[in-house]
Amino acid sequence: MTTVAPPAPVSLPDFYAALPRLPGGTLPLSADQRRAVEHDFALPLWVIAGPGTGKTHTLVWLTLKRLLVDGVPPQRLMLTTFTRKAATELRTRLIHGRQALVDAGLRGAGKLDLSQVMLGTLHELASDVLQRERYPETLRVRLLGDELTQQFFVRRTRNPLMDCDDLKFWQRFSMCKDSDVFPPNKAKRAEFAGKLFNRMTENSVDLGLMRASGEPHFILLVGAYERYLHDLHAGHRTDQSLMQRHFLEYLKSPAGQAWVADGLTVVVDEYQDTNPIQEEIYFTLAGGRGDLTVVGDDDQSLYRFRGATVEALTNYDDACQHFLGRKPAPLYLTENRRSHPQIVAWVNAFIGGHPEMNDPVVRVRAPGKPPLVARADVSGTYPAVAVVAEADNPTAAGKVAGLVADLVHGGLVSDASQVALLTFSTRESTQGIGAYTDAIRAQGLEVYNPRSKQAHLDARALALVGAFSVLLDPDYAPVNLVAPLPRGVPEYLVKARTAFQDLLDTGRHDDLWDYVVNSQEAVRQSTIDPDWPYLTRTGKQGEVTLSSLLFKLLSYEPFASDLRDPAIGERLKALNLILAEYEALFSDGRIKLAPHPGGGAQVDGWTLYNFYSVFVEGFHDGLNDPEDAEASLQPGMVNVMTIHQSKGLEFEVVIVLRPDRQPFVSDTHQLEDEFHAFSQSPTRPARRRTQDERAAEDTIRLFFVAYSRARRLLVVAGQLTPDTAPAWDRVMGGAYASGLIRQKNDLTTLGAHPL
């Protein structure tokens, strides 16, 4: 790659003079943001940025200042963030900021080549650097791109944990209940194995120490992990977590040390979601110069279940002292430019009032953190924070639906997509939020719920799976298969095949049925070649794969039109992506043939069994729908999403549903305790807080994120009974919420205050 020389540095006064001005003619940086931008990096920078305080805005101008004023070469600046979507947003805003400087006539801005900046998630950047530097461990290696693909690999390679029938082993790591009498099924074992392996990698677990403990469960786990590493190496594959380990190994090698020695400027966004191995990577990248900026908010740390440790941010000063021999410069962004003053007052009272968030020994929050200050151009005397608390969910749902209808039909919001229903789980069931989504649809409003975990039950997705099954296995019966299917899969296949038949019974899809029948006949009439017993096209013009069959099915109606539907289309695409990953691990999707008892050929029994027990089960086991990386919202549709999914977004109206549904003590908290003795980190807390305390932290941070998404109206809605009262007390902040909450009846005044 050709490297373009960076433009000659400009002065800081010239940089400020060229900054584009916001409406009203004020400089688009607060005093605290300016201090961040002007930092001289004699010390590392530690930026704590609360919700709505312009974190991304600050990052953009800080980065442009480093490039244009400080003269950092673009190819030596690394800017990382937690998700691809956030990276795309940063890249777009950097481009727009650069263009604004060009339009303002800043000398050298037009020559700044932002394409040379290393910008992306750490996984992406690690992969890019390792490929560019031709690191042997990652050359010509295929990445297991997600958790489901990793599970397919664990099953395909028959990891020892797949055959672990020791119930006590699984119970120890909270991966089945103490009351269970049987160990997890194969699919769950693969899921749990992947989780265990990922945590061992991300926490840099010392395998020698774990084995030396002498505990049989740890010895078994070490052996299974080492087997997993061996199988990955033999199969020329790696996973997301191990890509980071490879990167750290490279950085510590002579070649990596030489690369770092040239000087890197490292800027890390969403640092509260960092895990121990990432923490070490960032400090190794920064080298002895310590040109390191971390930006985040401990109160918005949501990803403990993925291995994140909020202590990386709250104890960042200890890490700097450990790795660099000096403390960082702390800086707080507190001016909230998003929310109504009542909402800002509410979130301040909520996060600061919980005793669980204050500990005299362990830093649960960043030290000396000031409250948010309301600076948004949002006003009005209406009650901006309200509660709908009813004796049952259907009653609460009816009131919520009426409120949403009033807002949308009354023109109080410009579009239904400015209303967001946020919840712990978006599963639309009687035990979930089904009453609320049903009530809103009954008001004539559309709901967009891309994380409902209902993709596998969508009528079209079911029909597509059913069509696939009927095509490959016209004589399907569980007793005909070579081995029993996992629990739930036979029933799911019956639903899928029935959904396909229901589609055909409409009488509008004869061409689809003709294709399925003709394909069945083509299989039956195939000649089995002993040297290559796989299904081929007529005249042996290439192989027939599972993906090619799926593409053909998708070309027929109604599936072809469904692909253009924002909800159904994404579900069908998800099924296609999962199939592609399945094919990569199971015979490249080839369809092996075997003799049919009645003459001719049929699909081989083990091919069918793997298709059903691995691919179909993977889809049927509560798959999350994908979220489009470019457009999370659909115009004209009320948004339903998990609180996790809402992070980084804002809405005019936020309604938090089912406050009684909260994080709980889980395998995540148990794994933290189990692996604590075998991993080291300079930010590891001096005292291990209990699992209950950490689960409480997770709940409080989760609802803090939910509440702080709202610009003009925040509503908390659900069932309030003696049983749910303790949960409500936590999400209401206990006594600290008094005086800040109005009942739903007061919302009638909203008509005079358009949102």
Side-chain angles (χ1 to χ4, degrees), residues 298-299 301-302 304 310-311 351 356-359 362-365 663 669 689-704 730:
D298 47 289
D299 292 333
S301 179
L302 300 184
R304 186 193 301 274
V310 68
E311 295 86 9
I351 195 67
E356 295 96 332
M357 303 304 289
N358 298 281
D359 189 306
V362 177
R363 282 184 188 169
V364 185
R365 302 183 71 203
H669 305 97
R689 281 165 62 88
T690 68
Q691 294 182 17
D692 286 334
E693 288 173 324
R694 282 175 277 145
E697 291 175 38
D698 295 343
T699 296
I700 295 162
R701 291 187 176 112
L702 187 73
F703 283 88
F704 176 82
R730 173 162 285 163

Side-chain angles (χ1 to χ4, degrees), residues 592-610:
K592 190 175 182 180
L593 298 176
H596 191 284
Q602 63 180 358
V603 177
D604 172 70
W606 282 109
T607 298
L608 285 174
Y609 176 78
N610 286 333

Side-chain angles (χ1 to χ4, degrees), residues 306-347:
R306 291 185 182 172
T309 52
V310 68
E311 295 86 9
L313 181 67
T314 58
N315 296 333
Y316 177 65
D317 51 344
D318 291 339
C320 287
Q321 187 66 51
H322 174 83
F323 286 108
L324 305 173
R326 55 191 183 276
K327 296 285 187 178
L331 193 148
Y332 296 94
L333 301 184
T334 61
E335 293 187 5
N336 179 287
R337 299 180 181 273
R338 172 185 297 161
S339 303
H340 190 285
Q342 289 182 31
I343 297 174
V344 174
W346 162 242
V347 296

Side-chain angles (χ1 to χ4, degrees), residues 388 392-404 435-436 439-440 443 744:
V388 176
D392 57 77
N393 278 305
T395 302
K399 292 190 175 182
V400 166
L403 170 61
V404 174
Y436 295 86
I440 290 173
Q443 291 281 349
K744 193 271 178 185

